[in-house]
Amino acid sequence: MNKSINAKLASIEEELKVVKAQVAKHAPASSRKKRFVDLEGIWKGKADFSFEEIEEAKIKLKKCL
């Protein structure tokens, strides 16, 4: 009987892995945890910063730290 329970438990664990993978695949991008590399281009089409404005902001940031 113990082998039967272990086999059933292993089967359920495998099914759970499959379901988790399917949920992660179909989850909206906004609900997934973002990595630093995902931030590239985040402002594209939303703001138009000149190179000078970016450099000015970097300088201000250094003064605050």
Side-chain angles (χ1 to χ4, degrees):
M1 184 162 147
N2 200 12
K3 288 183 181 180
S4 174
I5 292 172
N6 286 339
K8 199 169 246 189
L9 180 58
S11 173
I12 292 170
E13 287 174 338
E14 287 302 313
E15 286 181 44
L16 183 58
K17 285 180 188 178
V18 170
V19 170
K20 283 183 176 181
Q22 289 174 343
V23 167
K25 181 180 175 183
H26 296 292
S30 61
S31 69
R32 288 187 221 136
K33 194 171 191 175
K34 293 213 184 306
R35 299 171 298 152
F36 182 75
V37 73
D38 295 331
L39 299 176
E40 182 180 356
I42 197 168
W43 288 104
K44 187 175 184 173
K46 296 184 178 157
D48 187 23
F49 300 113
S50 69
F51 179 76
E52 291 77 19
E53 290 170 322
I54 293 170
E55 290 302 308
E56 185 180 328
K58 285 181 184 178
I59 294 167
K60 287 180 183 176
L61 181 61
K62 288 179 185 177
K63 289 179 183 177
C64 295
L65 298 175

